[in-house]
């Protein structure tokens, strides 16, 4: 593998300005200088003056990670958390099928790589933690992957139907539907020496899973074996129990919390950065889970009410519910980061572009609870260039950065136009004009003899013109067929690096690469020497 840094690709405005260290955006964060070692030394000093539920966390994480047969490196890292000097590098994502889009893998690699680098630099125990957002309920975001079939990108959705807003942590996976889905996805891949083992392992992991989160975690532990990665599910009952004291604080200070976040959004918006999340002043930033349905809560007349009036609680009633069943109170994008900082001694949070944007709203909310926004480190954003794609880029002398930003559709057409005879358009136009000139006298004669023939005469002229156009299109098609091999090479580049006009990491899944290169592909990615400078990483295979 060869690693190349190129200019960062466009993301949202806040993330782009954050990576460029724009002061207007940096003011919304407590530790803006993320490339400076002193930032993390200061953060350590901040953390050492705070207390965390370390022993409860160690006990819980040991029990939870052992459920998934975590390796000894992971269990050793969990034990490190009992050390008052230990800190964590943390980030998270939803439990997508087959781990979801590539950016999930990129985030895990970011967490592990940054934790190793920080531990070496700071000489303190740094534990990599991946937070599975199991309390999220948007099944449509995790129920599919994209495949390439007959040169076309197609979406493959699992056959299981989910009608409730059910958190992924408690959403049972339909084993038969999942097996059928995996078989369908793999049918679009070329069979290699690795295919059979991948299918056997997926079947083992699926058979041992009850929920979508279980299946996700088993795959992650398999892919990142011996890396010491610790996994936590934000929707798990045991984890919710550890966070209970803070959940109560979120309920008691809910009015002020909502006010601080809403005013922060207004400030961000006034600077021209839009609105990172959809909120209004009545948001409680909490959900109530009832009978497997996740209900968004709002504050109305001093009470906590379901957005569609599904429930209504006084503050004391909601506190009692939280006490009796902590997992029935669920966080949103605002309160989840706050809970994370209450539980974990966070040296750095590894964030995607969207997370950078909405964390910009949280500084005042953090301060409300005596916390600080941890250093926000943008995750590694990568594009993988296989040998064939690299060969085609060289063959057509295409600019890689331009392809990554815009795709190569326009480049393909420009290349084709340079080989297409200029005379086609000219000859077709001349033919149309000549036939029109020859046809007009006949049309006028028909109308003169019988005015009722006017429509027929004009229709006749239109038919003749369409036939000329038809022949022109057939000529065009023949020319494209002549260059079909070259056109397919452009298509390969586009599908690989800018599929559906989106970044590669948002469409493709890691199993395409595992099928081609085996599990060692992950290890090779982990061993690359990444620079944390905000630039886009291009990996040549």
């Amino acid at each position: 593998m060869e690693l190349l840094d190129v200019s960062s690709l466009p993301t949202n405005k806040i993330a782009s300005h954050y990576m460029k260290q724009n002061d207007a955006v940096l003011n919304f964060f407590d530790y803006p200088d993320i490339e400076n070692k002193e930032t993390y030394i200061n953060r350590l000093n901040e953390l050492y003056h705070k207390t965390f539920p370390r022993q409860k966390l160690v006990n819980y994480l040991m029990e939870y990670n052992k459920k998934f047969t975590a390796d000894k490196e992971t269990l050793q890292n969990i034990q490190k958390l009992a050390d008052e000097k230990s800190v964590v590098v943390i980030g998270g994502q939803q439990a997508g099928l087959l781990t979801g889009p590539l950016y999930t893998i990129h985030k895990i690699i970011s967490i592990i790589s940054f934790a190793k680098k920080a531990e070496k630099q700071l000489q303190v125990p740094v534990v990599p933690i991946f937070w599975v957002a199991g309390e999220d309920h948007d099944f449509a975001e995790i129920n599919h992957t994209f495949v390439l079939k007959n040169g076309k990108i197609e979406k493959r959705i699992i056959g299981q139907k989910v009608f409730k807003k059910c958190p992924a942590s408690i959403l049972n996976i339909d084993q038969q539907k999942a097996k059928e889905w995996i078989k369908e996805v793999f049918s679009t891949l070329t069979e290699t020496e690795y295919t059979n083992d991948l299918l056997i392992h997926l079947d083992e992991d699926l058979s041992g899973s009850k929920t979508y989160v279980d299946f996700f975690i088993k795959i992650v532990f398999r892919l990142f074996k011996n890396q010491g990665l610790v996994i936590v599910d934000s929707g798990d009952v045991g984890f919710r129990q550890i966070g209970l004291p803070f959940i109560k604080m979120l309920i008691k200070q809910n009015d002020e919390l909502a006010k601080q976040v809403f005013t922060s959004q207004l400030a961000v918006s006034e600077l021209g950065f839009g609105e990172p999340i959809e909120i209004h002043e009545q948001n409680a930033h909490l959900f109530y889970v009832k009978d497997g349905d996740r209900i968004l809560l709002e504050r109305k007349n001093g009470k906590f009410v379901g957005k569609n009036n599904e429930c209504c609680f006084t503050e004391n009633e909601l506190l009692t519910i939280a006490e009796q069943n902590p997992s029935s109170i669920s966080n949103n994008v605002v309160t989840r980061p706050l809970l994370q900082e209450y539980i974990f001694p966070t040296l750095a949070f590894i964030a995607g572009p969207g997370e950078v944007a909405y964390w910009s709203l949280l500084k005042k909310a953090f301060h409300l609870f005596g916390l600080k926004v941890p250093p926000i480190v943008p995750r590694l954003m990568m594009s993988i260039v296989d040998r064939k794609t690299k060969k085609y880029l060289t063959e057509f002398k295409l600019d890689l950065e331009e392809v990554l930003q815009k795709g190569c559709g326009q480049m393909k057409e420009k290349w084709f136009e340079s080989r297409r005879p200029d005379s086609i358009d000219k000859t077709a136009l001349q033919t149309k004009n000549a036939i029109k000139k020859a046809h007009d006298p006949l049309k006028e004669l028909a109308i003169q003899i019988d005015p009722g023939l006017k429509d027929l005469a004009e229709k006749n002229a239109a038919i003749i013109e369409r036939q000329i156009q038809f022949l022109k299109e057939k000529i065009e098609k023949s020319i494209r067929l002549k260059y079909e091999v070259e056109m397919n090479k452009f298509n390969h580049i586009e599908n690989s690096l800018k599929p559906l006009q989106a970044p590669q990491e948002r469409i493709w899944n890691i199993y395409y690469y595992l099928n081609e290169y085996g599990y060692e592909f992950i290890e090779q990615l982990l061993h690359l020497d990444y620079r944390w400078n905000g630039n886009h990483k291009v990996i040549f295979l």
Side-chain angles (χ1 to χ4, degrees):
M1 287 184 176
E2 179 189 351
L3 178 63
L4 174 70
D5 269 26
V6 300
S7 300
S8 60
L9 302 186
T11 57
N12 64 69
K13 288 179 70 175
I14 294 177
S16 295
H17 281 273
Y18 181 78
M19 287 187 281
K20 293 174 183 176
Q21 296 288 281
N22 182 305
D23 287 341
V25 168
L26 295 184
N27 289 332
F28 293 105
F29 299 90
D30 283 315
Y31 297 93
D33 192 3
I34 57 172
E35 294 185 38
N36 191 337
K37 181 180 176 181
E38 287 299 315
T39 294
Y40 302 97
I41 293 174
N42 292 337
R43 178 62 176 172
L44 284 177
N45 292 330
E46 169 78 17
L47 294 174
Y48 290 161
H49 286 86
K50 293 189 174 295
T51 58
F52 298 91
R54 288 181 180 271
Q55 198 53 55
K56 286 183 179 179
L57 190 57
V58 168
N59 295 341
Y60 163 73
L61 289 175
M62 277 289 186
E63 181 182 354
Y64 187 77
N65 283 255
K66 281 180 179 179
K67 281 171 42 181
F68 300 96
T69 60
D71 54 44
K72 69 179 190 314
E73 289 84 359
T74 290
L75 301 183
Q76 288 169 355
N77 268 343
I78 292 173
Q79 197 59 55
K80 286 180 183 178
L81 289 171
D83 183 345
E84 294 292 332
K85 289 188 178 297
S86 69
V87 291
V88 308
V89 170
I90 191 169
Q93 205 66 51
Q94 291 172 286
L97 280 170
L98 301 183
T99 72
L102 278 170
Y103 59 67
T104 298
I105 299 298
H106 297 170
K107 184 172 282 186
I108 297 174
I109 290 172
S110 301
I111 293 166
I112 294 171
S113 299
F114 195 87
K116 288 180 179 177
K117 174 193 170 189
E119 185 167 271
K120 185 177 180 180
Q121 283 190 341
L122 302 173
Q123 294 297 298
V124 297
V126 182
V127 179
I129 294 185
F130 186 78
W131 171 304
V132 182
E135 59 191 332
D136 284 359
H137 63 264
D138 194 341
F139 186 58
E141 289 190 1
I142 66 169
N143 70 350
H144 64 276
T145 193
F146 289 92
V147 300
L148 188 65
K149 187 173 182 179
N150 299 325
K152 293 184 178 181
I153 299 172
E154 299 178 357
K155 192 175 187 178
R156 289 289 185 271
I157 301 174
I158 196 169
Q160 182 172 350
K161 303 296 182 184
V162 176
F163 300 102
K164 285 186 175 183
K165 293 181 179 180
C166 182
S169 293
I170 60 174
L171 179 58
N172 290 340
I173 189 167
D174 186 318
Q175 294 274 332
Q176 188 56 42
K177 296 288 187 187
K179 287 179 181 180
E180 292 170 359
W181 181 84
I182 292 170
K183 183 179 179 181
E184 183 183 5
V185 168
F186 269 76
S187 70
T188 66
L189 302 177
T190 302
E191 187 170 350
T192 69
E193 60 182 301
Y194 306 110
T195 306
N196 192 50
D197 280 347
L198 291 174
L199 286 170
I200 290 172
H201 293 156
L202 282 172
D203 188 62
E204 289 175 1
D205 292 339
L206 177 61
S207 299
S209 301
K210 183 179 179 181
T211 68
Y212 281 87
V213 168
D214 293 344
F215 188 37
F216 175 88
I217 293 175
K218 283 181 175 291
I219 292 175
V220 169
F221 270 139
R222 187 182 293 278
L223 300 187
F224 292 91
K225 189 176 181 180
N226 303 323
Q227 295 300 323
L229 182 68
V230 178
I231 296 182
V232 63
D233 170 17
S234 65
D236 185 69
V237 176
F239 184 71
R240 306 304 300 176
Q241 186 67 50
I242 296 174
L244 177 59
F246 192 74
I247 294 295
K248 290 181 177 179
M249 293 170 63
L250 291 173
I251 294 171
K252 291 177 181 178
Q253 299 190 58
N254 201 269
D255 282 349
E256 187 61 26
L257 166 66
K259 177 183 176 182
Q260 297 296 353
V261 176
F262 186 72
T263 55
S264 294
Q265 172 122 305
L266 290 177
V268 168
S269 180
E270 285 174 3
L271 287 174
F273 295 116
E275 298 182 351
I277 55 179
E278 292 184 17
I279 57 174
H280 55 77
E281 291 182 89
Q282 283 71 47
N283 282 137
H285 301 295
L286 294 169
F287 289 86
Y288 170 60
V289 182
K290 179 182 180 182
D291 300 327
D293 207 2
R294 197 164 176 243
I295 301 167
L296 181 62
L297 295 177
E298 296 180 343
R299 299 176 336 281
K300 294 180 181 177
N301 301 319
K303 294 184 178 181
F304 292 88
V305 181
K307 185 178 180 181
N308 298 312
N309 296 312
E310 304 96 326
C311 57
C312 180
F313 307 110
T314 64
E315 180 181 300
N316 286 334
E317 287 172 337
L318 196 59
L319 288 168
T320 300
I321 290 171
E323 181 74 42
Q324 294 175 346
N325 184 10
S327 61
S328 66
I329 306 299
S330 175
N331 300 101
N332 77 340
V333 296
V334 167
T335 53
R336 185 184 299 150
L338 297 167
L339 179 64
Q340 173 184 296
E341 295 309 300
Y342 166 79
I343 294 176
F344 292 102
T346 305
L347 176 70
F349 175 66
I350 306 297
E355 289 167 315
V356 172
Y358 73 73
W359 276 62
S360 70
L361 307 180
L362 304 182
K363 184 175 178 179
K364 290 182 178 180
F366 271 81
H367 293 181
L368 176 64
F369 296 99
L371 304 169
K372 281 190 176 181
V373 179
I376 307 298
V377 179
R379 67 166 172 81
L380 297 169
M381 301 182 72
M382 301 188 273
S383 293
I384 300 164
V385 183
D386 59 48
R387 293 187 185 94
K388 188 182 288 187
T389 302
K390 182 181 179 181
K391 178 184 174 184
Y392 296 162
L393 286 166
T394 303
E395 179 181 336
F396 296 112
K397 297 182 175 61
L398 302 184
D399 182 86
L400 174 61
E401 291 191 41
E402 189 176 354
V403 172
L404 291 173
Q405 291 191 17
K406 302 177 182 178
C408 62
Q410 291 183 353
M411 301 175 195
K412 179 177 74 172
E413 290 306 312
K414 184 178 180 180
W415 183 92
F416 175 73
E417 285 297 322
S418 70
R419 281 146 182 84
R420 177 178 173 272
D422 293 333
S423 59
I424 295 176
D425 292 330
K426 182 179 179 181
T427 303
L429 182 60
Q430 287 176 344
T431 303
K432 285 181 183 179
N433 290 337
I435 289 179
K436 182 178 184 302
K437 186 176 181 180
H439 187 271
D440 278 350
L442 181 62
K443 181 177 71 174
E444 291 171 4
L445 179 61
I447 295 170
Q448 185 178 359
I449 293 172
D450 182 356
L453 293 174
K454 180 180 179 182
D455 290 345
L456 179 62
E458 290 179 348
K459 183 177 180 181
N460 180 248
I463 290 172
I464 295 171
E465 186 171 330
R466 282 200 301 270
Q467 286 299 310
I468 297 168
Q469 182 65 26
F470 174 76
L471 180 57
K472 179 192 172 187
E473 290 171 359
K474 285 294 183 181
I475 295 171
E476 295 263 13
K477 187 175 181 181
S478 293
I479 297 171
R480 285 189 178 272
L481 283 173
K482 180 180 178 181
Y483 294 108
E484 185 175 20
V485 172
E486 290 82 0
M487 294 291 98
N488 285 337
K489 289 178 181 179
F490 276 104
N491 293 339
H492 176 89
I493 296 170
E494 181 93 356
N495 288 335
S496 175
L497 300 181
K498 194 72 170 179
L500 303 179
Q501 279 299 294
Q504 177 195 78
E505 65 174 17
R506 302 198 70 82
I507 301 297
W508 296 131
N509 179 272
I510 190 61
Y511 272 85
Y512 167 80
Y513 298 96
L514 297 179
N515 185 63
E516 290 291 325
Y517 308 106
Y519 290 120
E520 288 184 5
F521 182 75
I522 297 287
E523 292 182 29
Q524 292 172 344
L525 289 175
L526 282 164
H527 283 106
L528 292 172
D529 185 18
Y530 299 105
R531 294 174 61 201
W532 297 84
N533 53 11
N535 285 341
H536 192 81
K537 313 301 176 187
V538 178
I539 298 166
F540 293 98
L541 304 181

